Structure formats: C-alpha cells, structure tokens
Amino acid sequence: MSILNINNVHTYYGNIHALKGLTITVEQGEIVTLIGGNGAGKTTTLRTICGLLQPRQGDVFFNGENLNKYKAHEVVYKGISMVPEGRGIFTRLTITENLEMGAYSRNSVQEIKEDMDRVFTLLPRLKERRNQVAGTLSGGEQQMLATGRALMTRPTVLLMDEPSMGLAPVLVELIFDTIEQINKQGVTVLLVEQNAHMALSIAHRGYVLQTGEIVLSDTAKKLKNDPTVQKAYLGIE
C-alpha cells in the first residue's frame, strides 16, 4: 500500500528549477533511497515533502491526503518527521531536553516517557549521556540524537537526509544498523544518502536523481548491479 506519493512535482528556488516533474512512491514499511550527485535535488525532495518548500506544480500525498496546503509543523502532526542534513540539534540543551523538544507537539506525559525509553533502548549511547550538553557530543552521537529527536514525534514516515555525512566508517555502519532497526519497528523510511553502497544495502527500492529528474528506479538489488549506477555512484568500473 502506497503511503507517500509525490506526483509531477516542480519545486523552485527563486528562478532555479530544482525539481522537474518529480514522481516517486513509497510503500508502507519500506526503506526507499534517493541517490544522486550534489545538486541532483535529493534534499529539495525531502524539504518539499515536509512542507519547508512549496511546489509550484504537482502534489504530495500522504495516506491519500494532499499535503500542499499544510505548513511544515502541521506535516509533523500528520506523521512525517525529518532528520535534517547537518543534524540541527539544539547545542546548548542536554540530550534529554533535545528529545523533549522532539515531543513538543504531544500532550501525554506517559507516552512521551515511553517513547524516550524506546529511544534510549534503540540508542543506548544517548542514555549513558542523557544529561550531557548536546554541543559536546561527537558527530556520530549528534546524528543519533537528531534521529532520536525525530522519533519522539512518533512518525509514520521518517525522512533522513545524509545521515552518514562526516562520520567515521565504524559509525556509518552503526547509523545504518539503526535505520534498519527503526524500519523493523514499523517506521517507513525515505533515505537521502551520498554513500550509495550503504544506502542500497539496506533499502528495498531506490531512485536515481539527476538535475531534478528521476533517471532510473528499481529494486535496490537491481540498482546495485546496474552498470551505470556502479560506475557513477559505487566506484566500480
């Protein structure tokens, strides 16, 4: 069942035509990845879905409802949350306070406590440092915190923008293991990632973007074996 549909979307930055008739679908329970070079439109796609950018043409549907009329914070209420590129954590707040900020739209103290316990179980390193100021964390820990904060909204769909950026290889593996665990807990994931090899290793399906357009789409396994993808994104000649 399709949970997220982006239909013929055109998004602009001023006069710059960033997305040119983009159409993608995400099925419930999937991990879908968007791969492509810098400037391909990957981050723009996520920002359009979550309401930070409004398309000039085309529609974004979530559970059959058109999201174009909603502002970004209202899209969060609907069940879509984003882990932004660069993490965007509150550096002067503690880990616990950052997680509480993720639950700002919710009222049930008991449910918030349950979800924080769930995040600490999923990301035990955060629990060990729960009272530490977020700005003093390592890059990997900050990525975990940004992910945990997004999970505090109880999302149906999690948008992840370059989660491995700037991380050591051992931490990259940990982040991708975490994404798989999140998905197994029932959260649908739309993943933007420069590390195409890792993204395709955990995704069910993928789309390849070039200058705002889809040029290839298939199962992750088939994309991984596609000669064009291997040469352009996987470093295989």
Side-chain angles (χ1 to χ4, degrees):
M1 175 184 170
S2 238
I3 192 170
L4 189 62
N5 292 276
I6 294 86
N7 184 29
N8 191 34
V9 162
H10 293 258
T11 301
Y12 289 73
Y13 291 98
N15 293 322
I16 299 172
H17 196 174
L19 298 182
K20 305 168 184 175
L22 191 80
T23 296
I24 66 174
T25 62
V26 179
E27 304 292 321
Q28 188 166 0
E30 281 190 311
I31 299 175
V32 174
T33 187
L34 306 179
I35 60 176
N38 289 332
K42 305 184 301 297
T43 294
T44 302
T45 299
L46 298 191
R47 291 185 172 205
T48 302
I49 292 168
C50 71
L52 291 171
L53 294 171
Q54 288 294 322
R56 290 192 193 175
Q57 182 182 332
D59 301 287
V60 177
F61 291 96
F62 176 60
N63 282 328
E65 183 178 14
N66 195 319
L67 295 182
N68 288 13
K69 60 187 175 182
Y70 294 112
K71 297 178 180 178
H73 69 280
E74 295 171 322
V75 173
V76 174
Y77 299 156
K78 294 291 179 181
I80 298 177
S81 190
M82 184 161 86
V83 182
E85 179 183 350
R87 296 137 201 168
I89 60 169
F90 299 100
T91 57
R92 295 185 180 184
L93 301 183
T94 66
I95 285 175
T96 298
E97 289 167 339
N98 267 270
L99 294 177
E100 288 171 345
M101 288 297 292
Y104 77 95
S105 62
R106 300 169 55 195
N107 298 316
S108 172
V109 174
Q110 180 59 33
E111 287 183 358
I112 291 171
K113 182 182 181 303
E114 290 171 1
D115 285 349
M116 192 169 294
D117 289 342
R118 193 174 294 119
V119 167
F120 283 148
T121 300
L122 179 68
L123 301 165
R125 197 173 300 189
L126 296 185
K127 185 175 183 179
E128 295 168 8
R129 296 162 169 75
R130 61 192 303 164
N131 295 317
Q132 187 170 333
V133 174
T136 65
L137 300 173
S138 69
E141 290 162 349
Q142 289 186 9
Q143 185 62 52
M144 292 176 197
L145 178 56
T147 302
R149 183 184 59 190
L151 291 175
M152 290 298 294
T153 69
R154 280 202 178 182
T156 305
V157 174
L158 186 64
L159 311 177
M160 302 198 73
D161 194 0
E162 303 287 5
S164 77
M165 182 178 286
L167 301 185
V170 65
L171 291 175
V172 171
E173 290 190 15
L174 178 59
I175 291 297
F176 278 90
D177 285 345
T178 301
I179 294 170
E180 284 190 290
Q181 290 181 56
I182 290 168
N183 180 245
K184 287 174 182 176
Q185 292 177 1
V187 179
T188 302
V189 179
L190 181 57
L191 170 67
V192 160
E193 179 55 57
Q194 288 275 12
N195 189 333
H197 176 78
M198 289 297 293
L200 291 172
S201 71
I202 67 167
H204 300 97
R205 292 188 301 112
Y207 293 89
V208 180
L209 275 73
Q210 287 182 7
T211 59
E213 299 179 276
I214 300 294
V215 295
L216 195 60
S217 65
D218 214 322
T219 65
K221 184 177 181 180
K222 288 183 178 178
L223 287 177
K224 207 169 182 179
N225 292 321
D226 184 281
T228 303
V229 173
Q230 289 182 339
K231 184 175 182 180
Y233 305 108
L234 301 179
I236 300 173
E237 296 293 336

